[in-house]
Amino acid sequence: MIAPPDDCLARNEWICGAYLSTRRHILLDAVVQHLQLTSVSVLIGLAVAVPLAVLARRWGWAAGPVLGVTTILYTIPSLAMFSLLLPLYGLSATLVVAGLVLYSLTLLVRNILAGLRAVPEETRQAARGMGYGPIRLLLTVELPLALPAAMAGLRIATVSAVSLVTVGAIVGFGGLGNLIYAGMNTYFKAQVLTASVLCVLIAVAADLLLLGVQWLITPWIRAARA
């Protein structure tokens, strides 16, 4: 009778400390790529979503088309989205970022616009009566008051991006998704489980971080709750 191997890697166990110790550099590179793809795509999406939401708020007729187009983009399956963008960006990290930016627009534009619409009209009128111009009104009154709704959208968009980055493994730029995809193909249990758990931890950490940022930049809400 042949004794089972002592190495958990040789036994192909789901939980294996040897995998963490021998593949830590691979895991670190995958985590760094995952964070880069997520942060870049969300920041670009935010930079695009804010002007779109402001325009939709300023010109009511634009709200329908803006929300309609962004909603349609979100309904496109991820594999189909990457395939449609493939002729433009090729097999590159830019392809993944572009897809994630388009997906984030639905959540970001809708929530920022909802926050802007929730600003009381009497507040706007009071600011105009104090001599606030359109730009100053937007930057110092409307956007700060829209922060809670905007941050809620940002948190959801960030967590969604962490998840969708893994799909980028089909073009070789999926962060931890690369390890999950390769591990599933070879039935490498420790790799699949470790990479999946790290994805969950990144999503939870990102959400908590943004929640902390929201708490810091909205002192008036803290005061109202107190």
Side-chain angles (χ1 to χ4, degrees):
M1 183 176 180
I2 300 176
D6 294 330
D7 189 355
C8 60
L9 285 173
R11 294 193 301 269
N12 193 27
E13 296 180 350
W14 287 104
I15 301 176
C16 181
Y19 176 80
L20 295 174
S21 60
T22 59
R23 268 79 167 183
R24 60 180 179 274
H25 296 300
I26 296 175
L27 287 170
L28 180 60
D29 290 342
V31 168
V32 169
Q33 185 183 78
H34 208 106
L35 292 174
Q36 289 175 338
L37 292 171
T38 300
S39 56
V40 170
S41 61
V42 172
L43 288 174
I44 294 175
L46 187 62
V48 175
V50 171
L52 287 177
V54 170
L55 290 176
R57 176 66 183 86
R58 286 285 183 266
W59 298 306
W61 60 267
V66 168
L67 293 176
V69 170
T70 55
T71 300
I72 290 173
L73 290 173
Y74 198 76
T75 62
I76 301 175
S78 54
L79 291 178
M81 176 70 81
F82 289 156
S83 298
L84 292 172
L85 296 174
L86 187 60
L88 294 175
Y89 301 106
L91 299 175
S92 65
T94 307
L95 169 67
V96 180
V97 170
L100 295 178
V101 168
L102 294 178
Y103 279 128
S104 69
L105 289 180
T106 301
L107 301 168
L108 293 173
V109 172
R110 188 175 296 275
N111 280 271
I112 295 171
L113 180 57
L116 292 173
R117 284 174 170 173
V119 177
E121 185 58 32
E122 56 268 24
T123 302
R124 292 192 178 91
Q125 294 297 338
R128 292 190 184 101
M130 296 172 62
Y132 282 45
I135 302 299
R136 187 183 179 189
L137 174 63
L138 174 67
L139 296 179
T140 62
V141 177
E142 293 180 315
L143 286 179
L145 292 178
L147 272 177
M151 288 300 297
L154 181 60
R155 289 170 58 195
I156 299 173
T158 302
V159 172
S160 297
V162 172
S163 173
L164 290 171
V165 164
T166 58
V167 184
I170 62 174
V171 296
F173 295 92
L176 291 165
N178 293 339
L179 300 182
I180 296 173
Y181 183 71
M184 292 181 67
N185 284 337
T186 59
Y187 200 58
F188 192 172
K189 295 179 181 178
Q191 180 162 295
V192 172
L193 181 61
T194 302
S196 299
V197 170
L198 286 174
C199 281
V200 174
L201 292 177
I202 289 174
V204 172
D207 188 53
L208 292 176
L209 176 62
L210 290 174
L211 186 61
V213 171
Q214 179 179 345
W215 184 81
L216 288 174
I217 63 178
T218 54
W220 59 91
I221 294 181
R222 299 201 306 271
R225 290 176 178 175

